[in-house]
Amino acid sequence: KNTNQKMYFMIYNKMKDIKKLEANKLIKELDYLKSELQYKSELISEVDNHFIKDVNLFLDNNPNLKKVFDEKMITDETNTTIEYDIPIDNNIISEDSINLINSIIDPKLKNLYRSIVKSTHPDKIKNNNLKEIYIEATKAYESGSFLPIISICDRLSIPYEISDEETELFKSEIEKIKNRVSFLETTFTFKWHLSKDEKEKNFVILEYIRSQIVK
């Protein structure tokens, strides 16, 4: 009997370790993807004006094409601006998931937040980096955002556990951010920016012009 109990606890602890490793992997993947999304969004925003200038220069050098393009722009007011980004839904987690969080993990959220506060509160610890983490955690806690709290706990080596339902929340958000990053990578501005030479840049510009004319 004792042998069976030991075996059971060994298996239980091993599965617990595997689950913790999975959670750690998901947290790191989510944090990376958030950084990737922010980087590519800001890059496109910064590069967009240069792309538009290059498009206009290309059209100026090709008067016949410019005439067709300008006529299309005039007749289609919706094409006066170019949208490269997709709306960012701040409520990444669905309403059902939010209800799940509110009903199941509120006490956990509170306890984890308290643990973070003990390690980061500016009145107790004078450290600018920890102060930023405290502010980040407080915003997440006040908005009832579970995933950022878990991510902060991971960074601070604060013990935590996540359930199967919570694991699915991580996977769902990861998938949505992946889709956003993939979308940004398909924009003309991003492809133009990555072009290796003038020939490739002109090809992207032509593709953009064609896409506007045939709408």
Side-chain angles (χ1 to χ4, degrees):
K1 187 176 180 180
N2 288 335
T3 302
N4 289 339
Q5 283 182 333
K6 287 181 180 178
M7 183 65 71
Y8 169 80
F9 282 117
M10 283 177 61
I11 294 172
Y12 173 78
N13 288 329
K14 188 67 176 176
M15 293 303 297
K16 197 173 178 181
D17 290 341
I18 291 173
K19 196 172 183 65
K20 182 68 182 289
L21 287 171
E22 181 189 17
N24 185 263
K25 173 182 174 294
L26 290 171
I27 289 166
K28 284 179 168 50
E29 185 177 5
L30 181 60
D31 287 342
Y32 168 78
L33 285 169
K34 283 182 176 179
S35 296
E36 185 80 351
L37 179 62
Q38 182 179 5
Y39 162 70
K40 288 182 176 174
S41 295
E42 292 181 2
L43 174 67
I44 287 172
S45 178
E46 180 68 27
V47 173
D48 189 54
N49 284 335
H50 299 289
F51 172 65
I52 297 302
K53 286 179 181 178
D54 215 12
V55 169
N56 289 332
L57 180 61
F58 184 89
L59 288 169
D60 287 339
N61 291 329
N62 295 272
N64 292 334
L65 186 59
K66 177 177 172 60
K67 181 179 179 181
V68 175
F69 182 83
D70 287 346
E71 287 174 355
K72 176 63 177 177
M73 295 300 101
I74 291 171
T75 56
D76 189 354
E77 293 182 357
T78 62
N79 286 331
T80 55
T81 59
I82 308 168
E83 295 296 333
Y84 291 100
D85 206 349
I86 51 177
I88 299 297
D89 181 5
N90 291 325
N91 297 315
I92 293 174
I93 304 172
S94 68
E95 187 175 344
D96 288 342
S97 296
I98 291 173
N99 291 335
L100 172 68
I101 290 174
N102 290 335
S103 63
I104 295 178
I105 62 177
D106 265 354
K108 181 189 290 187
L109 185 69
K110 184 179 293 185
N111 289 334
L112 291 176
Y113 174 66
R114 284 175 177 171
S115 296
I116 293 170
V117 169
K118 288 178 183 177
S119 302
T120 62
H121 199 289
D123 290 345
K124 297 179 180 180
I125 301 171
K126 303 301 180 184
N127 181 298
N128 287 334
N129 290 333
L130 291 177
K131 180 181 178 181
E132 291 298 319
I133 292 175
Y134 169 77
I135 293 170
E136 180 186 348
T138 300
K139 287 180 179 177
Y141 178 70
E142 289 176 349
S143 65
S145 301
F146 173 69
L147 302 187
I149 292 292
I150 286 292
S151 179
I152 291 169
C153 286
D154 191 72
R155 281 148 55 189
L156 296 176
S157 298
I158 293 173
Y160 63 87
E161 291 184 10
I162 63 174
S163 67
D164 291 339
E165 291 91 344
E166 294 153 6
T167 297
E168 289 305 312
L169 292 180
F170 272 102
K171 290 179 179 178
S172 175
E173 186 164 0
I174 284 170
E175 191 60 32
K176 288 177 182 178
I177 294 179
K178 277 183 179 179
N179 290 337
R180 290 175 185 168
V181 171
S182 295
F183 174 85
L184 293 177
E185 291 172 345
T186 66
T187 62
F188 290 105
T189 296
F190 189 77
K191 289 189 284 188
W192 177 85
H193 174 71
L194 291 185
S195 297
K196 293 179 290 187
D197 53 36
E198 197 67 24
K199 183 177 179 180
E200 281 193 16
K201 286 183 183 294
N202 286 341
F203 178 79
V204 174
I205 290 171
L206 275 171
E207 283 296 298
Y208 163 69
I209 292 171
R210 185 192 65 79
S211 72
Q212 298 302 300
I213 291 175
V214 299
K215 273 187 178 180

Coordinates of all heavy atoms in Angstrom, one line a residue, residues 103-156:
S103 N -15.8 34.1 -11.7 CA -16.5 33.1 -10.8 C -15.5 32.1 -10.2 O -15.8 31.5 -9.1 CB -17.5 32.3 -11.6 OG -16.9 31.6 -12.6
I104 N -14.3 31.9 -10.9 CA -13.4 30.8 -10.4 C -12.2 31.3 -9.8 O -11.7 30.8 -8.7 CB -13.1 29.9 -11.6 CG1 -14.3 29.1 -12.1 CG2 -12.0 28.9 -11.2 CD1 -14.1 28.2 -13.2
I105 N -11.6 32.3 -10.4 CA -10.2 32.7 -9.9 C -10.1 34.0 -9.3 O -8.9 34.5 -9.1 CB -9.2 32.6 -11.1 CG1 -9.6 33.6 -12.2 CG2 -9.2 31.2 -11.6 CD1 -8.6 33.6 -13.3
D106 N -11.2 34.7 -8.9 CA -11.0 36.0 -8.2 C -10.2 35.9 -7.0 O -9.3 36.7 -6.7 CB -12.4 36.6 -7.9 CG -12.9 37.5 -9.0 OD1 -12.1 37.8 -9.9 OD2 -14.0 38.0 -8.9
P107 N -10.4 34.9 -6.1 CA -9.6 34.8 -4.9 C -8.1 34.6 -5.2 O -7.2 35.1 -4.6 CB -10.2 33.6 -4.2 CG -11.6 33.5 -4.6 CD -11.5 33.9 -6.1
K108 N -7.9 33.8 -6.3 CA -6.5 33.5 -6.7 C -5.9 34.8 -7.2 O -4.7 35.1 -6.9 CB -6.5 32.5 -7.8 CG -5.1 32.1 -8.3 CD -5.1 31.3 -9.5 CE -5.6 29.9 -9.2 NZ -5.4 28.9 -10.3
L109 N -6.6 35.6 -8.0 CA -6.1 36.8 -8.5 C -5.7 37.8 -7.4 O -4.7 38.4 -7.4 CB -7.2 37.5 -9.4 CG -6.8 38.8 -10.1 CD1 -5.8 38.5 -11.2 CD2 -8.1 39.4 -10.7
K110 N -6.6 37.8 -6.4 CA -6.3 38.7 -5.2 C -5.1 38.3 -4.5 O -4.2 39.1 -4.1 CB -7.5 38.7 -4.3 CG -7.4 39.7 -3.1 CD -8.6 39.7 -2.2 CE -9.9 40.2 -3.0 NZ -11.0 40.3 -2.1
N111 N -5.0 37.0 -4.2 CA -3.8 36.5 -3.5 C -2.5 36.7 -4.2 O -1.5 37.1 -3.6 CB -4.0 35.0 -3.2 CG -5.1 34.8 -2.1 OD1 -5.4 35.6 -1.3 ND2 -5.7 33.6 -2.2
L112 N -2.5 36.4 -5.5 CA -1.3 36.6 -6.3 C -1.0 38.1 -6.4 O 0.2 38.5 -6.3 CB -1.5 36.1 -7.8 CG -1.7 34.6 -7.9 CD1 -2.0 34.2 -9.3 CD2 -0.4 33.9 -7.4
Y113 N -2.0 39.0 -6.5 CA -1.7 40.4 -6.5 C -1.1 40.8 -5.2 O -0.1 41.6 -5.2 CB -3.0 41.2 -6.8 CG -2.8 42.7 -6.7 CD1 -2.0 43.4 -7.6 CD2 -3.4 43.4 -5.7 CE1 -1.8 44.7 -7.5 CE2 -3.2 44.8 -5.6 CZ -2.4 45.4 -6.5 OH -2.3 46.8 -6.4
R114 N -1.6 40.3 -4.1 CA -1.0 40.7 -2.8 C 0.5 40.2 -2.7 O 1.3 41.0 -2.2 CB -1.8 40.0 -1.7 CG -3.1 40.7 -1.4 CD -3.9 39.9 -0.4 NE -5.2 40.6 -0.1 CZ -6.2 40.1 0.7 NH1 -6.0 38.8 1.1 NH2 -7.3 40.8 0.9
S115 N 0.8 39.1 -3.3 CA 2.1 38.6 -3.3 C 3.0 39.5 -4.1 O 4.2 39.8 -3.7 CB 2.2 37.2 -3.8 OG 1.5 36.3 -3.0
I116 N 2.5 40.0 -5.2 CA 3.3 40.9 -6.0 C 3.5 42.2 -5.3 O 4.6 42.8 -5.3 CB 2.5 41.2 -7.4 CG1 2.5 39.9 -8.2 CG2 3.2 42.3 -8.2 CD1 1.6 40.0 -9.4
V117 N 2.5 42.7 -4.6 CA 2.6 44.0 -3.9 C 3.7 43.9 -2.8 O 4.4 44.8 -2.6 CB 1.2 44.4 -3.3 CG1 1.4 45.5 -2.3 CG2 0.2 44.8 -4.4
K118 N 3.7 42.8 -2.1 CA 4.7 42.6 -1.1 C 6.1 42.7 -1.6 O 7.0 43.2 -0.9 CB 4.5 41.2 -0.4 CG 3.3 41.1 0.5 CD 3.2 39.7 1.0 CE 1.9 39.6 1.9 NZ 1.8 38.2 2.4
S119 N 6.3 42.3 -2.9 CA 7.7 42.3 -3.5 C 8.0 43.6 -4.3 O 9.1 43.8 -4.6 CB 7.8 41.1 -4.4 OG 7.6 39.9 -3.8
T120 N 7.0 44.4 -4.5 CA 7.2 45.6 -5.4 C 6.7 46.9 -4.9 O 7.0 47.9 -5.6 CB 6.5 45.3 -6.8 OG1 5.1 45.2 -6.6 CG2 7.0 44.0 -7.4
H121 N 5.9 47.0 -3.9 CA 5.3 48.3 -3.5 C 6.4 49.3 -3.2 O 7.3 49.1 -2.5 CB 4.5 48.1 -2.2 CG 3.5 49.2 -2.0 ND1 3.8 50.5 -1.7 CD2 2.1 49.2 -2.1 CE1 2.8 51.2 -1.6 NE2 1.7 50.5 -1.9
P122 N 6.2 50.5 -3.9 CA 7.2 51.6 -3.8 C 7.5 52.1 -2.3 O 8.5 52.6 -2.0 CB 6.6 52.7 -4.6 CG 5.7 52.0 -5.6 CD 5.1 50.8 -4.8
D123 N 6.5 52.0 -1.5 CA 6.6 52.4 -0.1 C 7.6 51.5 0.7 O 8.1 51.9 1.7 CB 5.3 52.5 0.6 CG 4.4 53.6 0.1 OD1 5.0 54.5 -0.6 OD2 3.2 53.6 0.3
K124 N 7.7 50.2 0.2 CA 8.5 49.2 0.9 C 9.8 49.0 0.2 O 10.8 48.7 0.9 CB 7.7 47.9 1.0 CG 6.4 48.0 1.8 CD 5.7 46.6 1.8 CE 4.4 46.7 2.6 NZ 3.7 45.4 2.6
I125 N 9.8 49.1 -1.1 CA 11.0 48.8 -1.9 C 11.3 49.9 -2.8 O 10.5 50.2 -3.7 CB 10.9 47.4 -2.6 CG1 10.6 46.3 -1.7 CG2 12.1 47.1 -3.5 CD1 10.2 45.0 -2.3
K126 N 12.5 50.5 -2.7 CA 12.9 51.6 -3.6 C 13.6 51.1 -4.8 O 14.9 50.9 -4.7 CB 13.7 52.6 -2.8 CG 13.1 53.2 -1.5 CD 11.8 53.9 -1.8 CE 11.1 54.5 -0.6 NZ 9.8 55.1 -0.9
N127 N 12.9 50.8 -5.8 CA 13.5 50.3 -7.0 C 12.6 50.6 -8.2 O 11.4 50.3 -8.2 CB 13.7 48.7 -6.9 CG 14.3 48.1 -8.1 OD1 13.8 48.2 -9.2 ND2 15.5 47.5 -7.9
N128 N 13.2 51.4 -9.1 CA 12.3 51.9 -10.2 C 11.8 50.8 -11.1 O 10.6 50.9 -11.5 CB 13.2 52.8 -11.1 CG 13.4 54.2 -10.4 OD1 12.6 54.6 -9.6 ND2 14.5 54.8 -10.8
N129 N 12.5 49.7 -11.3 CA 12.0 48.6 -12.1 C 10.9 47.9 -11.4 O 9.9 47.6 -12.1 CB 13.1 47.6 -12.4 CG 14.2 48.1 -13.3 OD1 13.9 49.0 -14.2 ND2 15.4 47.7 -13.2
L130 N 11.0 47.7 -10.1 CA 9.9 47.1 -9.4 C 8.7 48.0 -9.3 O 7.6 47.5 -9.2 CB 10.4 46.7 -8.0 CG 11.4 45.5 -7.9 CD1 11.9 45.3 -6.5 CD2 10.9 44.2 -8.6
K131 N 9.0 49.3 -9.2 CA 7.9 50.2 -9.2 C 7.0 50.1 -10.5 O 5.8 50.1 -10.4 CB 8.4 51.7 -9.1 CG 7.3 52.7 -9.0 CD 7.9 54.1 -8.9 CE 6.8 55.2 -8.9 NZ 7.3 56.6 -8.8
E132 N 7.7 50.0 -11.6 CA 7.0 49.8 -12.9 C 6.2 48.5 -12.9 O 5.1 48.5 -13.4 CB 8.0 49.8 -14.1 CG 8.7 51.1 -14.3 CD 7.7 52.2 -14.7 OE1 6.8 51.9 -15.5 OE2 7.8 53.4 -14.3
I133 N 6.8 47.5 -12.3 CA 6.0 46.2 -12.3 C 4.8 46.3 -11.4 O 3.7 45.8 -11.6 CB 7.0 45.1 -11.8 CG1 8.0 44.8 -12.8 CG2 6.2 43.8 -11.4 CD1 9.1 43.8 -12.4
Y134 N 5.0 47.1 -10.3 CA 3.9 47.3 -9.3 C 2.7 48.0 -10.0 O 1.6 47.7 -9.9 CB 4.4 48.1 -8.1 CG 3.2 48.7 -7.3 CD1 2.6 47.8 -6.4 CD2 2.8 50.0 -7.4 CE1 1.5 48.3 -5.6 CE2 1.8 50.5 -6.6 CZ 1.1 49.6 -5.7 OH 0.1 50.1 -4.9
I135 N 3.1 49.1 -10.8 CA 2.1 49.8 -11.5 C 1.4 48.9 -12.6 O 0.1 48.9 -12.7 CB 2.7 51.0 -12.2 CG1 3.2 52.0 -11.2 CG2 1.7 51.7 -13.2 CD1 4.0 53.2 -11.8
E136 N 2.2 48.1 -13.3 CA 1.6 47.2 -14.3 C 0.7 46.2 -13.6 O -0.4 45.9 -14.1 CB 2.8 46.4 -14.9 CG 2.4 45.4 -16.0 CD 3.5 44.6 -16.5 OE1 4.7 45.0 -16.2 OE2 3.3 43.6 -17.2
A137 N 1.1 45.6 -12.5 CA 0.3 44.7 -11.8 C -1.0 45.3 -11.2 O -2.1 44.7 -11.3 CB 1.0 44.0 -10.6
T138 N -0.9 46.5 -10.7 CA -2.1 47.2 -10.2 C -3.1 47.4 -11.3 O -4.4 47.2 -11.1 CB -1.7 48.5 -9.5 OG1 -0.8 48.2 -8.5 CG2 -2.9 49.2 -9.0
K139 N -2.7 47.9 -12.5 CA -3.6 48.1 -13.6 C -4.3 46.8 -14.0 O -5.5 46.7 -14.3 CB -2.8 48.7 -14.8 CG -2.4 50.1 -14.6 CD -1.7 50.6 -15.8 CE -1.3 52.1 -15.7 NZ -0.5 52.6 -16.8
A140 N -3.5 45.7 -14.0 CA -4.0 44.4 -14.4 C -5.1 43.9 -13.4 O -6.1 43.4 -13.7 CB -2.9 43.4 -14.5
Y141 N -4.7 44.1 -12.1 CA -5.6 43.7 -11.0 C -6.9 44.5 -11.0 O -8.0 43.9 -10.9 CB -4.9 43.8 -9.7 CG -5.8 43.5 -8.5 CD1 -6.1 42.1 -8.3 CD2 -6.3 44.4 -7.6 CE1 -7.0 41.8 -7.2 CE2 -7.1 44.1 -6.6 CZ -7.4 42.8 -6.4 OH -8.2 42.4 -5.3
E142 N -6.8 45.8 -11.2 CA -8.0 46.6 -11.2 C -8.9 46.4 -12.4 O -10.1 46.6 -12.3 CB -7.6 48.1 -11.2 CG -7.0 48.6 -9.9 CD -6.5 50.0 -9.9 OE1 -6.4 50.6 -11.0 OE2 -6.2 50.5 -8.8
S143 N -8.3 45.9 -13.5 CA -9.2 45.5 -14.7 C -9.6 44.1 -14.6 O -10.3 43.6 -15.6 CB -8.4 45.8 -15.9 OG -7.3 45.0 -16.1
G144 N -9.2 43.3 -13.6 CA -9.5 41.9 -13.5 C -8.8 41.0 -14.5 O -9.3 40.0 -14.9
S145 N -7.6 41.5 -15.0 CA -6.9 40.7 -16.0 C -6.0 39.7 -15.3 O -5.0 40.0 -14.7 CB -6.1 41.7 -16.8 OG -6.9 42.6 -17.5
F146 N -6.3 38.4 -15.5 CA -5.6 37.4 -14.9 C -4.3 37.1 -15.5 O -3.3 36.9 -14.8 CB -6.5 36.1 -14.9 CG -5.8 34.9 -14.4 CD1 -5.5 34.7 -13.0 CD2 -5.5 33.8 -15.2 CE1 -4.9 33.6 -12.6 CE2 -4.9 32.7 -14.8 CZ -4.6 32.6 -13.4
L147 N -4.2 37.0 -16.8 CA -3.0 36.6 -17.5 C -1.8 37.5 -17.2 O -0.7 37.0 -17.0 CB -3.3 36.5 -19.0 CG -4.4 35.6 -19.5 CD1 -4.4 35.5 -21.0 CD2 -4.3 34.2 -18.8
P148 N -1.9 38.8 -17.2 CA -0.8 39.6 -16.9 C -0.3 39.4 -15.5 O 0.9 39.5 -15.2 CB -1.3 41.1 -17.1 CG -2.4 41.0 -18.0 CD -3.1 39.7 -17.7
I149 N -1.2 39.1 -14.5 CA -0.8 38.9 -13.2 C 0.1 37.6 -13.1 O 1.1 37.6 -12.4 CB -2.0 38.7 -12.2 CG1 -2.7 40.1 -12.1 CG2 -1.6 38.2 -10.9 CD1 -2.0 41.1 -11.3
I150 N -0.4 36.6 -13.8 CA 0.4 35.3 -13.8 C 1.8 35.6 -14.4 O 2.8 35.1 -14.0 CB -0.3 34.2 -14.6 CG1 -1.5 33.7 -13.8 CG2 0.6 33.1 -15.0 CD1 -1.1 32.9 -12.6
S151 N 1.8 36.3 -15.5 CA 3.1 36.6 -16.2 C 4.0 37.4 -15.2 O 5.2 37.1 -15.2 CB 2.8 37.5 -17.4 OG 4.0 37.8 -18.1
I152 N 3.5 38.3 -14.5 CA 4.3 39.1 -13.5 C 4.8 38.1 -12.4 O 6.0 38.2 -12.0 CB 3.5 40.2 -12.9 CG1 3.3 41.3 -14.0 CG2 4.3 40.9 -11.7 CD1 2.3 42.4 -13.6
C153 N 4.0 37.2 -11.9 CA 4.4 36.3 -10.9 C 5.6 35.4 -11.4 O 6.5 35.1 -10.7 CB 3.2 35.4 -10.5 SG 2.0 36.2 -9.5
D154 N 5.5 35.0 -12.7 CA 6.5 34.2 -13.3 C 7.8 35.0 -13.3 O 8.9 34.4 -13.0 CB 6.1 33.8 -14.7 CG 7.0 32.8 -15.3 OD1 6.9 31.6 -14.8 OD2 7.8 33.1 -16.2
R155 N 7.8 36.3 -13.7 CA 9.0 37.1 -13.7 C 9.6 37.3 -12.4 O 10.8 37.4 -12.2 CB 8.6 38.4 -14.4 CG 8.5 38.4 -15.9 CD 7.5 39.4 -16.4 NE 7.7 40.8 -16.0 CZ 6.8 41.7 -16.2 NH1 5.7 41.5 -16.9 NH2 7.1 43.0 -15.8
L156 N 8.8 37.4 -11.3 CA 9.2 37.6 -10.0 C 9.5 36.3 -9.2 O 9.8 36.4 -8.0 CB 8.2 38.5 -9.2 CG 8.0 39.9 -9.7 CD1 6.9 40.6 -8.9 CD2 9.3 40.7 -9.7

